[in-house]
Amino acid sequence: MNRALLPAGMMLFAMIGLTPIYAQAPTPEGNRIVLVKLNQPPCKSLSSDDIITARIAYRIAEAEQSADGFAVSIKFQGTDPRMTFSVTRGRTSTPTPDGTAVTLRSDTLTLTYPMAAIMQDARLRRPITCYFYLHRNMGKGRSIVIARTPPIVFRECL
């Protein structure tokens, strides 16, 4: 398929009221996590004094099963582009490496994370970038990400 023609083709579909299969939104049955609200204003660089407070909505698909449960967490982009991480110390609502346990298949909750727990970590990539993950726990501190938010980048504006 010619990628240069893709936007024009999608525009044509939109104009005549058709949606191509590859452009459809995820079905309501899928796993989902959405950032509803974040307490950090735009163009604010984070410091060790900041505490991130985020309102998160999630949904776990009916077909998704786990004997070890599910969790929601905040993770930060590491200097290794294949790695995200968090440190669990201090005042945080993410008490374990697997995140905050969730028991409902769909809910909205508030996560907090003290930046003092991570600001001096050499693995933390700048500008600071975080994600919120929905995990399926696999036992013994292991989990697999089943949904994530787009990256949230904290940039300093001039």
Side-chain angles (χ1 to χ4, degrees):
M1 174 180 283
N2 186 339
R3 293 191 186 275
L5 296 178
L6 183 60
M10 290 182 72
M11 180 61 114
L12 176 62
F13 278 112
M15 288 180 1
I16 61 173
L18 299 174
T19 304
I21 292 172
Y22 58 84
Q24 288 181 349
T27 62
E29 297 82 29
N31 299 316
R32 183 178 74 150
I33 186 166
V34 176
L35 175 62
V36 176
K37 184 177 181 183
L38 184 66
N39 72 322
Q40 298 298 321
C43 298
K44 182 189 186 305
S45 58
L46 295 173
S47 74
S48 293
D49 296 331
D50 288 312
I51 296 175
I52 292 178
T53 302
R55 190 86 174 136
I56 303 295
Y58 71 90
R59 180 180 56 230
I60 302 167
E62 287 301 319
E64 196 75 55
Q65 300 297 319
S66 174
D68 297 307
F70 299 91
V72 172
S73 71
I74 182 173
K75 300 292 181 192
F76 295 88
Q77 184 64 58
T79 52
D80 177 344
R82 298 167 296 166
M83 178 200 63
T84 59
F85 71 102
S86 62
V87 178
T88 52
R89 310 185 286 229
R91 293 176 27 206
T92 177
S93 63
T94 307
T96 70
D98 292 333
T100 297
V102 296
T103 55
L104 300 174
R105 297 203 73 83
S106 180
D107 199 5
T108 302
L109 54 91
T110 300
L111 291 179
T112 59
Y113 192 87
M115 291 307 296
I118 201 167
M119 286 300 287
Q120 302 306 315
D121 196 307
R123 298 175 294 171
L124 184 61
R125 187 182 90 186
R126 304 302 201 274
I128 296 172
T129 302
C130 71
Y131 302 85
F132 293 92
Y133 290 151
L134 176 58
H135 303 261
R136 179 180 351 109
N137 293 332
M138 310 282 286
K140 298 184 182 181
R142 294 183 13 217
S143 68
I144 186 167
V145 174
I146 58 175
R148 76 175 193 174
T149 63
I152 297 125
V153 181
F154 297 94
R155 296 190 191 275
E156 212 175 315
C157 299
L158 302 175

